[in-house]
Amino acid sequence: MALDTAGVDRALGAIGTTFRLTRLYPPSHPAVAEALRQIAETLPTLAALGTVEWKVGVTGLHWQGQHLLPRNTQIAELAGLLYARGVRAVTLNPGMIPDQVLALFRVALGSIPPDDATLGRVTLSLGRRSAVPLERLRTPTPVHGVPAVPGATRPAATAPPPVASVPEAAAATRSSHVFRPDVLPPDVEAHRAIGVLKAAATPEEQRAAVQTLNALAPGLLERRDVTTVAEAIATLDRLLPNATDPALVEAIDQVAVALSDRALVERMVQRLGESRVPPEEREALVAAVGALAGLSLTLVLDAFVGTPLDRRAPYRAVVRRAADRAVEPLQGRLADKDPHLVAAAAEFLGLTGSPQAVPLLVPLTHHRSEFVREAALIGLAEAGGREVSRPAMPALKDESVAVRMAAARAVAAGGDPASSTVLIRRLDQEPDEGVQAELLRAIGRLGAKEALEVLARHAEPGGRVNRRSPTVRAAAVEALRHIARPEARGLLELYSKDKEPAVRKAAEAALK
């Protein structure tokens, strides 16, 4: 049955029209502005489809085996220009805006590179520009001393064959790659085996699919196919906890060892920190790197420290996925001389959710580096549980503001209402407004009996002499949302009309 591409066709039609107009007029021209508006109207239809990947061919765009708008000359020209630039696929992610379509046009015209940041939610995949794949599609050409057909014998000769030139020697090497129409590429066979493995119901079917992956492992490693290997490892990791057949467990172990190539794992870790990775691929990478925690965690730590703050979330997801498997590799880095690596290891320990994490983190709250002390408290807050409250309390008097704020969060994460007494006493002695705000939030989360009175007092603006800052007042109002009493609700309604914008917004958010 043919796929319904009406919504995609409408979007492509608008894109083709806009492409023609942008080559005639500047972006500020009314005609271009109207064309961009028409693109914007079609984008919700594309977003409803999720992530859409169009294959780029010489004569047009293809989606799920269908040639899109084959008679549209503008789309054909756009695809041809992209193909000439080496682009082989265009991936449209939800959230795309018309300006990013203009960036796609600029790539086609050679104005910007295919990985330019202005592409935003549009991801371009480049093909491998190599002569070797082309040679596989041609009939091997006989050269001196090399038979055209594999296995053929060289006829007897009365004179020695002439010495092959450099081009001839290269042709002789390439001629060994014979096109075999009955054999699929390893990545295609691997995807089929992964699909069979996911649908398999019996141990026999699962074992057969796992053995297929084992046979394909050398080819996948040779191609450096990071995405396919990650999907295979992630699928095996999901299967392993439910595997009861000893033969199946052994087969899974063999494939895991075969696919655990260090160079490929390094590439997986590096790929996690890149800005434009499709969500499905990122999910597979997180699962695979987490499954190989014993091999990957050292690499993940180094990458985490060197990655910008806004791109670190995938590495944290890896540690959560690895769970207890990450504890031993992380424990070995707690004595590192680099405080930044120790701090990263401490934060990661809390993300594992392992009961072994708390005893390892408590000594680090007294480390000489404030980065490590803060990270240890962040790890304790992630671990949670009442056993983290008491070890975090001494850090409320730390010389570092960041450490004191992290200590307040850790005490709140402990969930022990009895800890409120220490927090309230420290609140009257704390000079920093940021730490005061964290203490108030912690008091609200713990919800002790005396919390309402303390929060109500600090939510007041104060007098002329002791006027409270908007930061402290907003934190007190925000903390009132955790107090399940009518008086707290009344205070929130009162402060939702406050003259201070920060206080008013905090009250409005708490009432929702």
Side-chain angles (χ1 to χ4, degrees), residues 399-424:
E399 61 184 11
S400 167
V401 170
V403 173
R404 297 202 299 274
M405 293 173 69
R409 297 189 193 104
V411 174
D416 185 5
S419 304
S420 298
T421 305
V422 177
L423 296 176
I424 294 170

Side-chain angles (χ1 to χ4, degrees), residues 185-498:
D187 57 334
V188 176
E189 289 197 50
H191 280 295
R192 289 187 175 183
I194 291 170
V196 171
L197 187 58
K198 290 178 179 178
T202 64
E204 291 75 16
E205 294 175 344
Q206 294 170 341
R207 190 163 60 249
V210 171
Q211 290 170 351
T212 301
L213 286 174
N214 193 25
L216 295 169
L220 295 174
L221 295 180
E222 182 182 358
R223 286 171 169 254
R224 298 296 176 193
D225 194 334
V226 173
T227 304
T228 304
V229 171
E231 290 177 4
I233 293 173
T235 303
L236 293 171
D237 188 52
R238 285 192 293 268
L239 176 64
L240 186 59
N242 300 320
T244 56
D245 180 25
L248 176 60
V249 174
E250 183 180 355
I252 293 174
D253 184 61
Q254 290 176 354
V255 181
V257 172
L259 294 176
S260 301
D261 179 72
R262 183 175 179 83
L264 206 61
V265 175
E266 288 178 356
R267 176 58 188 138
M268 289 184 193
V269 173
Q270 179 186 358
R271 181 77 171 141
L272 278 171
E274 295 177 2
S275 57
R276 289 199 299 271
V277 179
E280 297 83 358
E281 181 183 348
R282 192 182 299 278
E283 183 180 352
L285 288 170
V286 166
V289 176
L292 301 175
L295 178 63
S296 67
L297 254 294
T298 299
L299 302 171
V300 170
L301 266 178
D302 294 334
F304 179 82
V305 172
T307 301
L309 295 176
D310 59 337
R311 298 214 298 266
R312 288 182 171 183
Y315 296 120
R316 294 188 176 96
V318 165
V319 180
R320 289 191 176 95
R321 186 66 178 258
D324 290 342
R325 293 174 289 190
V327 173
E328 185 176 348
L330 292 173
Q331 185 177 358
R333 301 303 296 269
L334 295 180
D336 199 282
K337 294 181 179 179
D338 185 349
H340 294 90
L341 281 176
V342 179
E347 181 180 346
F348 280 0
L349 272 173
L351 296 173
T352 63
S354 171
Q356 305 173 48
V358 174
L360 293 171
L361 290 171
V362 169
L364 295 178
T365 59
H366 306 289
H367 197 276
R368 65 181 182 278
S369 169
E370 68 175 277
F371 299 114
V372 177
R373 297 198 301 273
E374 180 188 5
L377 290 162
I378 292 173
L380 288 174
E382 286 285 348
R386 295 201 173 193
E387 65 272 14
V388 309
S389 299
R390 188 171 295 277
M393 287 179 183
L396 293 170
K397 299 179 181 180
D398 195 277
E399 61 184 11
S400 167
V401 170
V403 173
R404 297 202 299 274
M405 293 173 69
R409 297 189 193 104
V411 174
D416 185 5
S419 304
S420 298
T421 305
V422 177
L423 296 176
I424 294 170
R425 186 166 59 246
R426 183 60 199 168
L427 182 62
D428 296 331
Q429 303 168 0
E430 177 57 54
D432 185 84
E433 291 181 356
V435 181
Q436 290 178 16
E438 287 298 334
L439 289 169
L440 288 166
R441 293 188 185 99
I443 291 168
R445 287 183 61 185
L446 294 177
K449 292 181 179 180
E450 59 271 28
L452 177 61
E453 180 183 351
V454 174
L455 296 176
R457 185 170 69 250
H458 284 80
E460 295 174 354
R464 294 182 178 179
V465 179
N466 296 321
R467 192 158 188 87
R468 291 191 177 86
S469 71
T471 301
V472 174
R473 293 187 61 211
V477 171
E478 179 185 340
L480 283 169
R481 71 190 305 172
H482 300 288
I483 308 299
R485 292 171 59 179
E487 297 93 330
R489 179 79 181 184
L491 288 172
L492 289 174
E493 292 176 352
L494 172 65
Y495 289 120
S496 65
K497 301 177 180 61
D498 197 89

